[in-house]
Structures are given as C-alpha cells and as structure tokens.
Amino acid sequence: MTRRLVLVNSAWLMADKIVRLGVGLIVWVWLARHFGPEGFGLWNYAIAFTALFGAFATLGMDGVLVRELVRDPSRTGMLLGTAMGLRLLASALAAFASVGTLLWLRPGEWLPLVLVALNAVVLVFQSAQVIDLYFQARMHARPAVLAVNMAFLVTTIGRLGLLAIEAPMAWFAVTLVIEAGLAASLLVVAYRSAERNNTPWQFDAHVAKALLLESWPLLLSSLAVMIYMRMDQVMLASMAGDEAVGQFSAALRIAEVWYFIPMALMSAAFPAMMKKREEGPEAYERYVQRLYDAMAWLGLTVAIITSLAASWVVPLLYGKQFTPAAEILSIQIWAGVTVTMSFVHSRWLLAEGLQRYGLVYTLLGACVNVSLNLILIPRFGPHGAAWATLVTQIGLLPAQLMFPKARRNFLLMVNAVTAPYRLVKQ
C-alpha cells in the first residue's frame, strides 16, 4: 500500500466532492433564494426526515464490506451480491416506513408527502453504492467518481432549467430520483468495465449472516449519528416551523460543505491504516496520531475563518432574508473540529473491532442531543439547535474514558492539540 496510491485515490475522491461542491452549492443557493426560508425549510425537512430512515438502508456495513473486500478479493462476487441483496431489502423497508411515518405525523399535507416519497425512492437506487465500495477497496476511485458525477451534472442541468421556469418544488424532487437512478446505472457499467474476470454476483445466506453480525452495532451507531445530525431539523419543524428549518439548513449547508475533505482522506487512508496495524502497535499508533493531528487542525482552521466571515458570506450567498443564518453558522462551524476527528475515530473503531463500544458512544450522543434540543429549541429556536449540536459533539469526547479500550484513543485525540509543537520539535 504505497503513499502515492493513497494520495491518488484521495485526490479522485476529493475531485468528486469538489465538483459537487462547486456546482451543487450554486444550485443550492439558487434553490434557497427560489423557495424562500419557509419553502427551503420544507425542502430540507423532507431530506432530513428521509435520511433518518436512510441510515437503516445502508445496514451500517460499508466499512465492514470494504474491509472484507480488501482481505479476500476472491470472494468479491459473493460479497457484493450479498450486500446488494441486503441493501435492496433494507432500503425498500426504509422507504415504506418513511412514507408511513410522515402520513402519521403530517396528515393531509400533500407536498411534504410527495417530497418524502420521492426521497424514499432515492434510497432504493442508492443500494448500487456497494459498487462504489468495491472501487474504494481496490483503491481505484476514478470509475465511480466519473459515474456519479456524470449523473450529477446531467441532472444539475435539469435543475437549472427548472429554476429558469420557476417550477414547483415537487419537480425538483423528481430530479433527485433521476440522478440516483442514472448514477446506479453508470456504476453498474463502470463495474463491468473494471472487473475483467466478470465474477458473477451471488447471494449467500452465510455471508449475509456474517456481515449483519458484524455490522449491526455500526447500523445502530449510524442511526444514532443520524438522529443527532438530522433530528434537529425535524424537531425544529414541529417546534418552531418550517422557516426556522430554512434558516438553520442554510447555515448547516455552509458548515458541512467542506466535510468532503476529511471524509475523502479517511476513505482513502483506511486500507493503509489496516496495513499499519499489521506492522505493529507503534507504527499503527503513529499513523493514527498523524490522522488526528491533521483532522483537528483542519477543523480548527476552517472554524476560525468561517466565524470571521459568516456575517457577510451568508447574506451574500442567500440574500438578506437569510441574515439570521449567519449567527447560526458562527455556532455550527465549531462542531466541525470534533466532526473531522470523528471520521478517524469511526475507522479506528472498525479496525479495532470495537463496534459495540461505538454503538454505546453514539447512542449516548443521540440522547444528549435530543434532550438538549427539547430544552433549547423552544427558547432559542434554530440558534438553540446549533448550540445543542456543538455541546453534544464536544461533550461526548470524555465519555471514552469510561471504556478501558478507548482511553488510549482519547489521549491521541487530545494530543492533537500539541501537533504544532511536536512538528517544530522534530
């Protein structure tokens, strides 16, 4: 596993996100201006609501599948076929559950129902992302990047056309389904071109059982993470209205837009991380420490710059009607310091086989976040939701001290603060 291979693969993953960032942010801003705070809030409410069920659709097995594909390439067809079958079933159940739950929560509201139903269809098409995991395991992200970006760019042109004719919101949601379907088709084409052996896919009940036994803690962790990452928007809608969701979501988009950098770096570095673990504890710990150092200071740099620029960036992008989102952003952005390190933390848990610890950790985070939202949203609205997220992200870190196997990892995270000193000392 060469450093050059990691860098090249990481570059392709970041190129994917940069294209989506550059083009997608423009469309996102136009959508916000087109819908206004209330309509934009409803749009994001539907996305966040469906995402809560979408966490179940992945079954938490992405990292486990990548690990198994790296360990035993000879089982590629069986692993991919089994994972695809499981995800298709799970995504279909999640889609029906999301629509049914919305009918119960917001009866008689047809537009939220249409938006959630279309987002639910997207969940089913996203089952094809197991092919993307195949390319990640092979450290060859280029085909998957080209496939999903082609689908993204084609549908983006369609969205721009809809903006030009001031189309209703439901039409924009249809483009999400078209994009997901096209991306799935192109991923299949990319896989067939790359897999020269044409290994047939097959579903194996024993493999399915093994994958589920390892991934269920990660699934529950993903559900917990999604609760405290997206439940705030759902709670805001019920407690403060769709306009509050619009202001919060406008800020959140900017606060999260750069997360593709740590995500891409860790997706590319995880196979190398596994190799370092095989070399011995010292090399492994040094590698993990360097990852924490990079992530912590990346997050801190972004937080400082964004806080200083928020008051003029938000009105410039979204217009004066979204001015309250600037203060929300100045709070939200600081959560990114711990979010970036969490990308390393989640991979470390997988490498160490501590999925059950991760489950307890994230469930605790979900409980804390929901509780804080219940207290802060009625009094402070979207600002309270932002504070709830920040306090949860930071306050959870010391919880690792309760678990003996995680205490050393907590020290590595804290030690990231001294990275500049250690760099100068070298």
Side-chain angles (χ1 to χ4, degrees):
M1 187 71 62
T2 65
R3 181 176 297 181
R4 179 179 179 277
L5 187 58
V6 172
L7 292 175
V8 169
N9 197 55
S10 180
W12 271 104
L13 291 171
M14 284 193 286
D16 168 40
K17 301 303 180 182
I18 289 172
V19 170
R20 290 174 172 271
L21 169 64
V23 179
L25 184 59
I26 294 173
V27 177
W28 182 268
V29 169
W30 282 356
L31 286 175
R33 289 175 173 267
H34 176 61
F35 296 149
E38 186 173 357
F40 192 58
L42 177 58
W43 173 265
N44 283 278
Y45 168 83
I47 294 174
F49 184 85
T50 312
L52 293 175
F53 296 87
F56 173 76
T58 67
L59 294 173
M61 66 172 54
D62 288 4
V64 175
L65 183 59
V66 170
R67 187 193 65 193
E68 293 304 309
L69 287 169
V70 171
R71 284 180 174 177
D72 192 357
S74 65
R75 294 198 303 157
T76 294
M78 186 178 297
L79 288 167
L80 293 179
T82 303
M84 175 66 85
L86 290 172
R87 285 194 57 166
L88 280 172
L89 176 60
S91 60
L93 293 174
F96 282 112
S98 63
V99 174
T101 305
L102 187 83
L103 283 170
W104 174 62
L105 291 175
R106 299 180 71 155
E109 297 186 55
W110 73 268
L111 184 54
L113 176 62
V114 170
L115 295 178
V116 168
L118 291 171
N119 277 279
V121 174
V122 171
L123 296 180
V124 179
F125 281 118
Q126 287 177 343
S127 300
Q129 288 178 351
V130 297
I131 298 175
D132 181 35
L133 301 177
Y134 160 82
F135 285 114
Q136 286 186 34
R138 296 294 178 270
M139 298 291 288
H140 185 46
R142 180 175 176 269
V145 168
L146 293 176
V148 297
N149 273 283
M150 185 178 298
F152 171 70
L153 292 174
V154 168
T155 50
T156 294
I157 294 173
R159 292 182 189 119
L160 293 176
L162 293 177
L163 283 167
I165 64 174
E166 298 185 352
M169 191 181 299
W171 292 20
F172 289 91
V174 172
T175 66
L176 298 177
V177 178
I178 296 173
E179 179 182 350
L182 183 57
S185 301
L186 292 175
L187 280 171
V188 171
V189 172
Y191 173 79
R192 290 180 175 176
S193 299
E195 183 62 31
R196 297 177 181 177
N197 295 328
N198 292 319
T199 306
W201 287 19
Q202 55 181 316
F203 184 91
D204 186 279
H206 296 291
V207 174
K209 181 179 179 180
L211 289 175
L212 291 174
L213 283 175
E214 283 210 68
S215 65
W216 74 262
L218 294 173
L219 166 60
L220 295 180
S221 296
S222 297
L223 290 170
V225 168
M226 194 57 64
I227 286 173
Y228 75 77
M229 291 294 288
R230 291 292 178 259
M231 183 61 80
D232 42 20
Q233 296 176 66
V234 176
M235 296 176 72
L236 268 174
S238 62
M239 295 180 180
D242 290 332
E243 184 174 350
V245 182
Q247 298 288 354
F248 182 85
S249 300
L252 184 65
R253 177 68 172 187
I254 300 175
E256 294 182 346
V257 74
W258 65 281
Y259 286 176
F260 74 90
I261 298 176
M263 187 181 300
L265 287 173
M266 281 312 304
S267 294
F270 182 56
M273 183 177 174
M274 294 295 295
K275 294 291 184 181
K276 288 292 183 180
R277 190 174 186 275
E278 295 175 1
E279 293 178 12
E282 292 185 5
Y284 176 57
E285 184 170 299
R286 283 196 302 269
Y287 190 76
V288 173
Q289 181 68 74
R290 286 198 297 269
L291 290 174
Y292 277 131
D293 293 347
M295 297 302 177
W297 285 90
L298 173 63
L300 186 61
T301 302
V302 172
I304 293 173
I305 295 173
T306 305
S307 294
L308 295 174
S311 61
W312 63 269
V313 168
V314 172
L316 177 66
L317 289 176
Y318 295 110
K320 292 183 179 180
Q321 57 185 339
F322 283 93
T323 298
E327 293 182 3
I328 301 171
L329 174 60
S330 65
I331 301 170
Q332 287 175 331
I333 194 64
W334 289 95
V337 179
T338 52
V339 169
T340 52
M341 290 196 291
S342 73
F343 288 112
V344 183
H345 185 221
S346 62
R347 299 291 179 162
W348 175 81
L349 290 174
L350 184 59
E352 294 296 312
L354 297 176
Q355 293 95 319
R356 287 172 176 79
Y357 152 73
L359 170 59
V360 175
Y361 186 79
T362 50
L363 284 174
L364 178 62
C367 292
V368 171
N369 185 252
V370 170
S371 299
L372 288 174
N373 278 322
L374 288 171
I375 296 170
L376 298 176
I377 288 178
R379 185 172 181 180
F380 302 105
H383 295 76
W387 277 113
T389 299
L390 177 58
V391 172
T392 300
Q393 289 285 352
I394 297 175
L396 272 183
L397 295 180
Q400 296 179 74
L401 296 174
M402 297 187 298
F403 307 94
K405 292 184 178 180
R407 289 170 186 168
R408 182 59 185 170
N409 183 70
F410 173 72
L411 294 178
L412 295 180
M413 298 178 79
V414 174
N415 196 41
V417 177
T418 67
Y421 169 75
R422 286 183 279 109
L423 183 62
V424 172
K425 189 176 179 181
Q426 290 178 356

